[in-house]
Amino acid sequence: MNRFEIKVLFGFAEFFRILRKVILINRSIYIKLKNYSLLICLLTLLGQPTMAWQGPASKAKKYKVVLDAGHGGKDPGTRGKSLKEKDVVLPVTLMVGKYLETLTDNIEVIYTRKKDVYSHPKVRAIMANEAEADLFVSIHANAMNPGYESVSGTEVFVMGTKNEGRNFEVAKRENSVILLEENYEEIYQGFDPNSPEIDIMFSIQQEAYQENSIILADNIDQQFIKRAGRKSRGVKQSSLWVLWSTYMPSVLIELGYLTNPKEEKDLGNKEVQDYLASAIFRAIRDYFEYIESTGN
């Protein structure tokens, strides 16, 4: 594929954004439009100027935030000596939701799970897309191979194709849950983070959300450092399926390393969990305040 063809593909980004407003694109469903004139009519209507009469003053916008406690049920995630990832991230996620529900009046919280149950990543992405959520926040805990028990710290990931070094290891581990599905090749339609086609599709579908995803990720990272007192390993990019499949600003948070004995102890501590949850809450709250102040 030459440079011109790639530029043409990128030029369709705005078209796809409008198309998604008309039809909720679900990769598992092949949408057959028998009457193409209807689609053209709908797209034309979207491009018309707004009518002068706006009706009664509308209420303040209610934002939707999907909180995803990673793993669950038959998928335990990473493990420390005594803790499983699925059991650490669930209470933190529920605390984040509680803060959002009780301390804000403009945020609706949607949970992908509220107990120890399994749902594959596609279901979580579909849930967020069908809700037309404004944010998708997936919460996880990290791990390293034997011999690297000293590694510690939080990380916040946004979708990207720079799968180098440690970022690639995280992508492989988090995407490996896909293999739990008997028909995963059909469900995930050949998702391969390393293919050039995926790189181009990501660029088209995610460019509208990337800037805001990074803003949120940086908010979370700074809150972890300044308010929760956690060691940070920074904001990073990686090809994570659950982020690639959501049509909104999305981040994946790694709370720390269960393979580090001290950090495992911290992550099992209710007070530390509360610090982490309140940091995520403040970052989300501040993100929407920024969005409203800038009109983004």
Side-chain angles (χ1 to χ4, degrees):
M1 183 173 289
N2 60 41
R3 285 178 172 270
F4 174 75
E5 291 172 323
I6 292 174
K7 286 183 178 179
V8 170
L9 282 171
F10 287 138
F12 281 109
E14 186 63 24
F15 171 78
F16 281 116
R17 289 180 62 198
I18 295 174
L19 184 60
R20 284 197 295 269
K21 296 289 185 180
V22 181
I23 302 169
L24 178 61
I25 299 176
N26 184 324
R27 294 189 184 87
S28 65
I29 300 174
Y30 291 94
I31 300 172
K32 296 182 179 179
L33 296 174
K34 295 182 179 179
N35 189 346
Y36 287 94
S37 62
L38 175 61
L39 175 60
I40 294 171
C41 180
L42 288 171
L43 290 175
T44 301
L45 287 173
L46 282 175
Q48 295 301 313
T50 304
M51 293 181 64
W53 183 78
Q54 298 295 331
S58 58
K59 296 181 180 179
K61 178 175 174 59
K62 188 88 168 181
Y63 297 103
K64 294 180 182 179
V65 176
V66 173
L67 296 180
D68 172 41
H71 309 280
K74 66 180 180 179
D75 172 24
T78 62
R79 297 172 182 263
K81 287 187 176 180
S82 60
L83 295 178
K84 297 176 183 177
E85 178 179 1
K86 67 174 184 177
D87 298 324
V88 170
V89 301
L90 182 58
V92 173
T93 303
L94 295 177
M95 284 184 209
V96 176
K98 181 180 178 180
Y99 281 131
L100 289 170
E101 289 167 337
T102 59
L103 298 179
T104 69
D105 56 9
N106 65 336
I107 295 176
E108 174 187 347
V109 178
I110 301 168
Y111 301 90
T112 61
R113 71 178 180 103
K114 298 182 77 172
K115 54 185 179 180
D116 186 22
V117 294
Y118 172 76
S119 65
H120 58 67
K122 192 174 186 69
V123 169
R124 300 170 192 237
I126 290 172
M127 183 184 300
N129 292 337
E130 290 186 343
E132 296 185 349
D134 298 284
L135 282 183
F136 179 84
V137 179
S138 190
I139 301 176
H140 294 253
N142 226 325
M144 285 292 284
N145 294 326
Y148 295 91
E149 289 82 3
S150 63
V151 176
S152 64
T154 63
E155 292 170 301
V156 188
F157 286 89
V158 297
M159 180 61 198
T161 53
K162 293 181 172 64
N163 289 315
E164 300 172 353
R166 177 65 188 148
N167 292 10
F168 184 51
E169 294 302 316
V170 172
K172 286 196 298 184
R173 188 185 68 248
E174 295 297 353
N175 290 332
S176 66
V177 65
I178 290 172
L179 302 179
L180 293 175
E181 306 303 320
E182 292 182 3
N183 57 338
Y184 72 91
E185 291 181 344
E186 177 182 348
I187 292 175
Y188 298 97
Q189 299 182 351
F191 173 74
D192 177 4
N194 297 312
S195 73
E197 292 80 7
I198 292 297
D199 193 350
I200 293 169
M201 290 176 68
F202 155 68
S203 298
I204 291 174
Q205 296 191 118
Q206 286 291 339
E207 69 171 342
Y209 314 118
Q210 187 72 344
E211 181 180 353
N212 283 6
S213 296
I214 292 172
I215 291 170
L216 175 62
D218 186 63
N219 280 0
I220 295 169
D221 186 55
Q222 292 302 309
Q223 288 287 346
F224 281 159
I225 297 168
K226 297 177 180 178
R227 301 297 294 272
R230 307 305 297 175
K231 174 185 174 181
S232 167
R233 295 176 62 85
V235 174
K236 303 178 180 180
Q237 293 187 352
S238 193
S239 292
L240 298 161
W241 196 92
V242 73
L243 300 186
W244 183 72
S245 302
T246 50
Y247 304 142
M248 66 217 58
S250 306
V251 299
L252 185 143
I253 300 167
E254 297 283 5
L255 298 173
Y257 284 78
L258 291 177
T259 45
N260 178 295
K262 181 182 182 304
E263 201 151 62
E264 179 186 18
K265 184 178 179 181
D266 284 349
L267 292 176
N269 183 297
K270 296 298 182 184
E271 185 177 12
V272 173
Q273 291 178 359
D274 185 60
Y275 286 149
L276 290 164
S278 60
I280 297 168
F281 152 71
R282 286 191 297 267
I284 294 172
R285 178 201 61 194
D286 294 350
Y287 167 83
F288 285 123
E289 289 179 357
Y290 168 81
I291 294 300
E292 290 187 340
S293 68
T294 59
N296 282 0

